[in-house]
Amino acid sequence: MSTSTFVLPVSLALQLLTSASPSPQNTATAPSQEPAPKSPATSSVKATPPAVTKLSAAQQATAAKLMGPALAEGHAYARLAELTDGIGPRLSGSESAEAAVQWALRSFQADGVKAWKEPVKVPRWVRGEEHGEILASERTRGLPLALLALGGSAPTPPEGITAEVVEVGSLEELAALGDKVKGRIVFFNHTMSEAADYGRFAGLRGRGPAAAAKQGAVAALVRSLATASLRTPHTGSTRFDEGGPRLPAAAVSVEDALTLHRMLQGGTVKVRLVLGCSDLPDADSSNVVAEVRGREKPDEVVLLGAHLDSWDVGTGAHDDGAGVVMVMEAARLIAKLPQAPRRTVRVVLFMNEENGLRGGRAYAERHAKELSKHVAAIEMDAGGGRPLGVSLHAGPGGEALLWPWLAPLEGLGAAKFLVGHATGADLSPMEPAHVPFVGVRVDSSRYFDVHHSMADTLDKVDPQDLSRSTAAVTWMAYALAESPGTLARPTAPESDDPPKKK
Amino acid sequence: MSTSTFVLPVSLALQLLTSASPSPQNTATAPSQEPAPKSPATSSVKATPPAVTKLSAAQQATAAKLMGPALAEGHAYARLAELTDGIGPRLSGSESAEAAVQWALRSFQADGVKAWKEPVKVPRWVRGEEHGEILASERTRGLPLALLALGGSAPTPPEGITAEVVEVGSLEELAALGDKVKGRIVFFNHTMSEAADYGRFAGLRGRGPAAAAKQGAVAALVRSLATASLRTPHTGSTRFDEGGPRLPAAAVSVEDALTLHRMLQGGTVKVRLVLGCSDLPDADSSNVVAEVRGREKPDEVVLLGAHLDSWDVGTGAHDDGAGVVMVMEAARLIAKLPQAPRRTVRVVLFMNEENGLRGGRAYAERHAKELSKHVAAIEMDAGGGRPLGVSLHAGPGGEALLWPWLAPLEGLGAAKFLVGHATGADLSPMEPAHVPFVGVRVDSSRYFDVHHSMADTLDKVDPQDLSRSTAAVTWMAYALAESPGTLARPTAPESDDPPKKK
């Protein structure tokens, strides 16, 4: 494994910690006077909560003990290099996914954190040969398409599928076409240009191909959900109904989507598509669970989640290697404290977030009886960007309860409550049990440049940003485990804010 | 072919033309008061030439006749769509390259510009299967490499080549290793980060593999010459001595170069490389030559060049589709003038700039006797960016001669002489004949984001930038053909400023 580590200059680490010490004024006025950072539209800062008491000197000292090493030692980044360079892509069911499980267990052991595996049956979808082309017509001599099969795609016959392309911009537009798409390749186009657009258009990838199949289409092409492209296709999961019709489905690069769109302005476009993907039998895999037992209320659990699996094309540095190493580092640092926090901090490295969510479901089922004692859950799965602030999905009074505990995040620019509910794909099976969710939100404005693509590699993660978000999540996990009070539980699953779909 | 056209709002076109009209003050003072645009380091503006007389009203009217349609009609961009979407990649010797020749002849005919082919024998190098991987070691389970064979590369055996990697940062460092690279794969790493770095590091790709072969290396990997990457390899030509040793050589993406470098910090790295490229016999191809005969001195030629071939991976939109459509549009617009300029304007669409320069050499040989009457040559081969200014490679007095003719470029922000000699790969065979070169320089700051990669596609060219550079080159071609005086010829090939290597 790589031995290189990132070391933050001590002066900067100290500066961050110094400014992290809360002053009475800080706790009584606006959380930060700095200009609002440029961030996704979902990161608007909420109004200041009411004045509250401040942290004790001992609590401040603990913040320094946790956040100092997170900021200065570069341990999370070194781990990320091990996971990405050492293990590489790790799609559920692959040998590499199993290697990642073993690596996580070894790493927790090295950190002095008790860890174990919990079984998860995972789907095993395997990419094969894949290519496609716009066929020659009076408008072109023919052009290859840069594409990636979507996870869950059916294969084409070995000789491929050749059909006319019909473009739609929404599921509604597809529905309106009825059986006019029969025998056609449906091309889902959209206008994603910034990270905040992901939620708007992800349904085209997730549900579009199944809808097209029901209307008799023979294949689907989806414009990649991306905020940057150098002819870079971005894969992702597509879902077909159990027993419903399936079809071959692929993401094309933004450039190829633009080309298809231009070509379709001039007349009929035929595409030939060859996808050699296959579904193997479900495989045995695992969530990796680790915990630091609480000193007073060990049965009350603060859950820190991230997902260990990645897509098969990049090395999953942002998605979700960054989240994995952040929550592992949180456990390592909390375990090193002279005194454990009041409650148990439990890290769950979920398997199969990307193409099945089986790990999230398996955890919620296996631990169903404990979920009423899960007092908070955080999932880190939005890349390795710098921390922006905190969001909640809890009952009333959550912000007032947590507000004093945000003070140590001041020096990171993250001592803010952000608009929008905390979510997490792997956490979503815990929603019916009313587990409160806490979001430690990071800057994801460039996340979709590389998300689900070959380009999601270590070099895209900024070591300083990673260390800052690691410090933030470490502290918030401790705060939730140590705070005398706990968050009120949300009354019902939020129907207007569904869990993050990937 | 695509029928879509880009239309500049008439108001903007008029505004550009209005401000393009020279005022007495403009011709006597600094060419532009606007802040210097952000541009490559090579685009420093020269000191103001001495005061000169201004253009006549008739000349100003001609400028408006030429530049107005270039700015407002979008004809060049529509042509670029035909070439890139319609014909696609067009490496020398391919059927598509021949299709591009036929397209150019048809297009000139449609424009009322006399055009013909001139034969060129071209090399025919063909890409095959290609892949590579870092082999498993104690530091990694193995990682695939995103790579492209370099043009001119030898193939590997079908089972590939497996060898240890040795990294070098320069040709000097390679030479110092002597026979220590024997049996190894030499990895040429560098730190290109901006367009101006291209010249510094292009020699690693062009000459590095041949040097490694002479020292007994079995293959070469070169970090892509790129200013942006999403795991995007950039190909290009590598040159081996006639009869000298060859080896398989590929460009790896920037990310993969970073990974190799990280892995090499930890110990031995082995790579397996499979390149299925092949050299076919030389093929018959053509330069396309077109001209508008001069009204007074038809034997005096102003040459406008660009190259019709492209690499085989993208559609060559910036390299050099943009140059091709600019010079074609210049000929179309000059041909439509009620009166031809004094001298002949000759457009040459060179074949095989990318991997042989056979077109440039064939032109210089075939027209050797006319070269003394070539009064100026411009090559457009730096992408479709906006115009920045004019550079020269001529004898003394050139700037004073041309200065009044720059006035119509004022509204484009390009009425400036730039530091650095005008060059052009296809023009370089004319240097011994002392042909004066004129550069209509464009903003190439983002050119190397896509250059020689799959991502060099139509969407990367901004229609307004293209129209502005088209207007600039159209006017400069006319100016050189109409000016009563001609540029003094340069005294000798510039040894300190070699022609652009690709």
Side-chain angles (χ1 to χ4, degrees), chain A residues 89-109:
Chain A
R90 45 197 180 278
L91 188 59
S92 292
S94 65
E95 285 181 24
S96 290
E98 184 54 28
V101 166
Q102 296 304 324
W103 166 84
L105 290 170
R106 279 197 314 274
S107 300
F108 279 123
Q109 189 174 27

PDB file of all heavy atoms in Angstrom, chain A residues 89-109:
ATOM      1  N   PRO A  89     -11.363  -0.298  -8.470  1.00  0.00           N
ATOM      2  CA  PRO A  89     -12.818  -0.382  -8.585  1.00  0.00           C
ATOM      3  C   PRO A  89     -13.327  -1.598  -7.819  1.00  0.00           C
ATOM      4  O   PRO A  89     -12.631  -2.620  -7.760  1.00  0.00           O
ATOM      5  CB  PRO A  89     -13.047  -0.564 -10.094  1.00  0.00           C
ATOM      6  CG  PRO A  89     -11.775  -0.158 -10.752  1.00  0.00           C
ATOM      7  CD  PRO A  89     -10.688  -0.432  -9.779  1.00  0.00           C
ATOM      8  N   ARG A  90     -14.513  -1.511  -7.247  1.00  0.00           N
ATOM      9  CA  ARG A  90     -14.969  -2.571  -6.323  1.00  0.00           C
ATOM     10  C   ARG A  90     -16.486  -2.698  -6.380  1.00  0.00           C
ATOM     11  O   ARG A  90     -17.183  -2.452  -5.395  1.00  0.00           O
ATOM     12  CB  ARG A  90     -14.466  -2.271  -4.903  1.00  0.00           C
ATOM     13  CG  ARG A  90     -14.630  -0.828  -4.473  1.00  0.00           C
ATOM     14  CD  ARG A  90     -13.802  -0.419  -3.263  1.00  0.00           C
ATOM     15  NE  ARG A  90     -14.060   0.990  -2.965  1.00  0.00           N
ATOM     16  CZ  ARG A  90     -13.480   2.018  -3.580  1.00  0.00           C
ATOM     17  NH1 ARG A  90     -12.560   1.812  -4.515  1.00  0.00           N
ATOM     18  NH2 ARG A  90     -13.809   3.255  -3.276  1.00  0.00           N
ATOM     19  N   LEU A  91     -16.963  -3.084  -7.536  1.00  0.00           N
ATOM     20  CA  LEU A  91     -18.405  -3.279  -7.711  1.00  0.00           C
ATOM     21  C   LEU A  91     -18.846  -4.508  -6.908  1.00  0.00           C
ATOM     22  O   LEU A  91     -18.117  -5.498  -6.807  1.00  0.00           O
ATOM     23  CB  LEU A  91     -18.733  -3.455  -9.200  1.00  0.00           C
ATOM     24  CG  LEU A  91     -20.228  -3.477  -9.558  1.00  0.00           C
ATOM     25  CD1 LEU A  91     -20.945  -2.193  -9.147  1.00  0.00           C
ATOM     26  CD2 LEU A  91     -20.413  -3.693 -11.065  1.00  0.00           C
ATOM     27  N   SER A  92     -20.033  -4.431  -6.367  1.00  0.00           N
ATOM     28  CA  SER A  92     -20.569  -5.519  -5.543  1.00  0.00           C
ATOM     29  C   SER A  92     -20.415  -6.873  -6.226  1.00  0.00           C
ATOM     30  O   SER A  92     -20.735  -7.029  -7.405  1.00  0.00           O
ATOM     31  CB  SER A  92     -22.063  -5.293  -5.289  1.00  0.00           C
ATOM     32  OG  SER A  92     -22.245  -4.181  -4.459  1.00  0.00           O
ATOM     33  N   GLY A  93     -19.945  -7.833  -5.450  1.00  0.00           N
ATOM     34  CA  GLY A  93     -19.817  -9.191  -5.962  1.00  0.00           C
ATOM     35  C   GLY A  93     -18.479  -9.486  -6.583  1.00  0.00           C
ATOM     36  O   GLY A  93     -18.160 -10.650  -6.844  1.00  0.00           O
ATOM     37  N   SER A  94     -17.678  -8.448  -6.829  1.00  0.00           N
ATOM     38  CA  SER A  94     -16.372  -8.665  -7.457  1.00  0.00           C
ATOM     39  C   SER A  94     -15.350  -9.101  -6.407  1.00  0.00           C
ATOM     40  O   SER A  94     -15.548  -8.915  -5.204  1.00  0.00           O
ATOM     41  CB  SER A  94     -15.896  -7.376  -8.126  1.00  0.00           C
ATOM     42  OG  SER A  94     -15.662  -6.375  -7.140  1.00  0.00           O
ATOM     43  N   GLU A  95     -14.253  -9.649  -6.878  1.00  0.00           N
ATOM     44  CA  GLU A  95     -13.163 -10.003  -5.962  1.00  0.00           C
ATOM     45  C   GLU A  95     -12.622  -8.766  -5.262  1.00  0.00           C
ATOM     46  O   GLU A  95     -12.211  -8.824  -4.096  1.00  0.00           O
ATOM     47  CB  GLU A  95     -12.029 -10.687  -6.725  1.00  0.00           C
ATOM     48  CG  GLU A  95     -12.346 -12.111  -7.111  1.00  0.00           C
ATOM     49  CD  GLU A  95     -11.165 -12.754  -7.846  1.00  0.00           C
ATOM     50  OE1 GLU A  95     -10.016 -12.304  -7.658  1.00  0.00           O
ATOM     51  OE2 GLU A  95     -11.412 -13.710  -8.601  1.00  0.00           O
ATOM     52  N   SER A  96     -12.622  -7.655  -5.975  1.00  0.00           N
ATOM     53  CA  SER A  96     -12.097  -6.437  -5.367  1.00  0.00           C
ATOM     54  C   SER A  96     -12.997  -5.938  -4.246  1.00  0.00           C
ATOM     55  O   SER A  96     -12.508  -5.383  -3.259  1.00  0.00           O
ATOM     56  CB  SER A  96     -11.928  -5.349  -6.418  1.00  0.00           C
ATOM     57  OG  SER A  96     -10.868  -5.685  -7.279  1.00  0.00           O
ATOM     58  N   ALA A  97     -14.303  -6.119  -4.393  1.00  0.00           N
ATOM     59  CA  ALA A  97     -15.199  -5.719  -3.307  1.00  0.00           C
ATOM     60  C   ALA A  97     -14.891  -6.538  -2.059  1.00  0.00           C
ATOM     61  O   ALA A  97     -14.862  -6.002  -0.936  1.00  0.00           O
ATOM     62  CB  ALA A  97     -16.659  -5.897  -3.731  1.00  0.00           C
ATOM     63  N   GLU A  98     -14.620  -7.835  -2.252  1.00  0.00           N
ATOM     64  CA  GLU A  98     -14.258  -8.674  -1.107  1.00  0.00           C
ATOM     65  C   GLU A  98     -12.912  -8.233  -0.527  1.00  0.00           C
ATOM     66  O   GLU A  98     -12.730  -8.185   0.701  1.00  0.00           O
ATOM     67  CB  GLU A  98     -14.224 -10.149  -1.522  1.00  0.00           C
ATOM     68  CG  GLU A  98     -13.947 -11.125  -0.395  1.00  0.00           C
ATOM     69  CD  GLU A  98     -14.892 -10.996   0.814  1.00  0.00           C
ATOM     70  OE1 GLU A  98     -16.043 -10.557   0.611  1.00  0.00           O
ATOM     71  OE2 GLU A  98     -14.462 -11.304   1.948  1.00  0.00           O
ATOM     72  N   ALA A  99     -11.989  -7.842  -1.418  1.00  0.00           N
ATOM     73  CA  ALA A  99     -10.691  -7.346  -0.940  1.00  0.00           C
ATOM     74  C   ALA A  99     -10.881  -6.066  -0.126  1.00  0.00           C
ATOM     75  O   ALA A  99     -10.169  -5.837   0.858  1.00  0.00           O
ATOM     76  CB  ALA A  99      -9.759  -7.097  -2.121  1.00  0.00           C
ATOM     77  N   ALA A 100     -11.833  -5.252  -0.529  1.00  0.00           N
ATOM     78  CA  ALA A 100     -12.096  -4.011   0.219  1.00  0.00           C
ATOM     79  C   ALA A 100     -12.637  -4.336   1.609  1.00  0.00           C
ATOM     80  O   ALA A 100     -12.295  -3.666   2.597  1.00  0.00           O
ATOM     81  CB  ALA A 100     -13.080  -3.132  -0.556  1.00  0.00           C
ATOM     82  N   VAL A 101     -13.478  -5.359   1.689  1.00  0.00           N
ATOM     83  CA  VAL A 101     -13.997  -5.794   3.002  1.00  0.00           C
ATOM     84  C   VAL A 101     -12.838  -6.212   3.908  1.00  0.00           C
ATOM     85  O   VAL A 101     -12.740  -5.795   5.071  1.00  0.00           O
ATOM     86  CB  VAL A 101     -15.005  -6.950   2.819  1.00  0.00           C
ATOM     87  CG1 VAL A 101     -15.299  -7.638   4.155  1.00  0.00           C
ATOM     88  CG2 VAL A 101     -16.296  -6.439   2.166  1.00  0.00           C
ATOM     89  N   GLN A 102     -11.929  -7.015   3.356  1.00  0.00           N
ATOM     90  CA  GLN A 102     -10.790  -7.485   4.157  1.00  0.00           C
ATOM     91  C   GLN A 102      -9.884  -6.320   4.556  1.00  0.00           C
ATOM     92  O   GLN A 102      -9.380  -6.271   5.684  1.00  0.00           O
ATOM     93  CB  GLN A 102      -9.992  -8.543   3.366  1.00  0.00           C
ATOM     94  CG  GLN A 102     -10.777  -9.811   3.067  1.00  0.00           C
ATOM     95  CD  GLN A 102     -11.341 -10.473   4.330  1.00  0.00           C
ATOM     96  OE1 GLN A 102     -10.706 -10.462   5.389  1.00  0.00           O
ATOM     97  NE2 GLN A 102     -12.557 -11.008   4.243  1.00  0.00           N
ATOM     98  N   TRP A 103      -9.692  -5.401   3.615  1.00  0.00           N
ATOM     99  CA  TRP A 103      -8.877  -4.215   3.915  1.00  0.00           C
ATOM    100  C   TRP A 103      -9.497  -3.410   5.051  1.00  0.00           C
ATOM    101  O   TRP A 103      -8.791  -2.953   5.965  1.00  0.00           O
ATOM    102  CB  TRP A 103      -8.767  -3.360   2.639  1.00  0.00           C
ATOM    103  CG  TRP A 103      -8.259  -1.970   2.860  1.00  0.00           C
ATOM    104  CD1 TRP A 103      -6.942  -1.584   2.945  1.00  0.00           C
ATOM    105  CD2 TRP A 103      -9.049  -0.786   3.028  1.00  0.00           C
ATOM    106  NE1 TRP A 103      -6.880  -0.230   3.156  1.00  0.00           N
ATOM    107  CE2 TRP A 103      -8.145   0.284   3.208  1.00  0.00           C
ATOM    108  CE3 TRP A 103     -10.416  -0.520   3.032  1.00  0.00           C
ATOM    109  CZ2 TRP A 103      -8.581   1.600   3.400  1.00  0.00           C
ATOM    110  CZ3 TRP A 103     -10.849   0.777   3.223  1.00  0.00           C
ATOM    111  CH2 TRP A 103      -9.942   1.824   3.403  1.00  0.00           C
ATOM    112  N   ALA A 104     -10.804  -3.232   5.013  1.00  0.00           N
ATOM    113  CA  ALA A 104     -11.474  -2.453   6.057  1.00  0.00           C
ATOM    114  C   ALA A 104     -11.324  -3.129   7.414  1.00  0.00           C
ATOM    115  O   ALA A 104     -11.016  -2.475   8.424  1.00  0.00           O
ATOM    116  CB  ALA A 104     -12.949  -2.261   5.699  1.00  0.00           C
ATOM    117  N   LEU A 105     -11.500  -4.448   7.430  1.00  0.00           N
ATOM    118  CA  LEU A 105     -11.358  -5.175   8.699  1.00  0.00           C
ATOM    119  C   LEU A 105      -9.935  -5.033   9.252  1.00  0.00           C
ATOM    120  O   LEU A 105      -9.728  -4.762  10.437  1.00  0.00           O
ATOM    121  CB  LEU A 105     -11.704  -6.660   8.502  1.00  0.00           C
ATOM    122  CG  LEU A 105     -13.188  -6.952   8.240  1.00  0.00           C
ATOM    123  CD1 LEU A 105     -13.373  -8.406   7.814  1.00  0.00           C
ATOM    124  CD2 LEU A 105     -14.041  -6.653   9.487  1.00  0.00           C
ATOM    125  N   ARG A 106      -8.951  -5.219   8.371  1.00  0.00           N
ATOM    126  CA  ARG A 106      -7.544  -5.063   8.791  1.00  0.00           C
ATOM    127  C   ARG A 106      -7.276  -3.658   9.305  1.00  0.00           C
ATOM    128  O   ARG A 106      -6.575  -3.456  10.290  1.00  0.00           O
ATOM    129  CB  ARG A 106      -6.602  -5.299   7.595  1.00  0.00           C
ATOM    130  CG  ARG A 106      -6.309  -6.714   7.240  1.00  0.00           C
ATOM    131  CD  ARG A 106      -5.053  -6.820   6.336  1.00  0.00           C
ATOM    132  NE  ARG A 106      -5.024  -5.865   5.225  1.00  0.00           N
ATOM    133  CZ  ARG A 106      -5.589  -6.072   4.039  1.00  0.00           C
ATOM    134  NH1 ARG A 106      -6.262  -7.191   3.800  1.00  0.00           N
ATOM    135  NH2 ARG A 106      -5.490  -5.171   3.078  1.00  0.00           N
ATOM    136  N   SER A 107      -7.833  -2.677   8.609  1.00  0.00           N
ATOM    137  CA  SER A 107      -7.571  -1.279   8.970  1.00  0.00           C
ATOM    138  C   SER A 107      -8.182  -0.945  10.319  1.00  0.00           C
ATOM    139  O   SER A 107      -7.547  -0.283  11.152  1.00  0.00           O
ATOM    140  CB  SER A 107      -8.123  -0.347   7.885  1.00  0.00           C
ATOM    141  OG  SER A 107      -7.514  -0.630   6.641  1.00  0.00           O
ATOM    142  N   PHE A 108      -9.412  -1.376  10.548  1.00  0.00           N
ATOM    143  CA  PHE A 108     -10.036  -1.122  11.852  1.00  0.00           C
ATOM    144  C   PHE A 108      -9.214  -1.791  12.962  1.00  0.00           C
ATOM    145  O   PHE A 108      -9.015  -1.227  14.032  1.00  0.00           O
ATOM    146  CB  PHE A 108     -11.475  -1.652  11.875  1.00  0.00           C
ATOM    147  CG  PHE A 108     -12.491  -0.727  11.230  1.00  0.00           C
ATOM    148  CD1 PHE A 108     -13.290  -1.164  10.177  1.00  0.00           C
ATOM    149  CD2 PHE A 108     -12.669   0.569  11.697  1.00  0.00           C
ATOM    150  CE1 PHE A 108     -14.241  -0.333   9.599  1.00  0.00           C
ATOM    151  CE2 PHE A 108     -13.627   1.411  11.120  1.00  0.00           C
ATOM    152  CZ  PHE A 108     -14.403   0.963  10.059  1.00  0.00           C
ATOM    153  N   GLN A 109      -8.746  -3.001  12.666  1.00  0.00           N
ATOM    154  CA  GLN A 109      -7.942  -3.701  13.671  1.00  0.00           C
ATOM    155  C   GLN A 109      -6.670  -2.902  13.991  1.00  0.00           C
ATOM    156  O   GLN A 109      -6.321  -2.703  15.156  1.00  0.00           O
ATOM    157  CB  GLN A 109      -7.583  -5.098  13.158  1.00  0.00           C
ATOM    158  CG  GLN A 109      -6.945  -5.975  14.226  1.00  0.00           C
ATOM    159  CD  GLN A 109      -6.727  -7.398  13.735  1.00  0.00           C
ATOM    160  OE1 GLN A 109      -6.572  -7.637  12.539  1.00  0.00           O
ATOM    161  NE2 GLN A 109      -6.706  -8.338  14.671  1.00  0.00           N
TER     162      GLN A 109
END
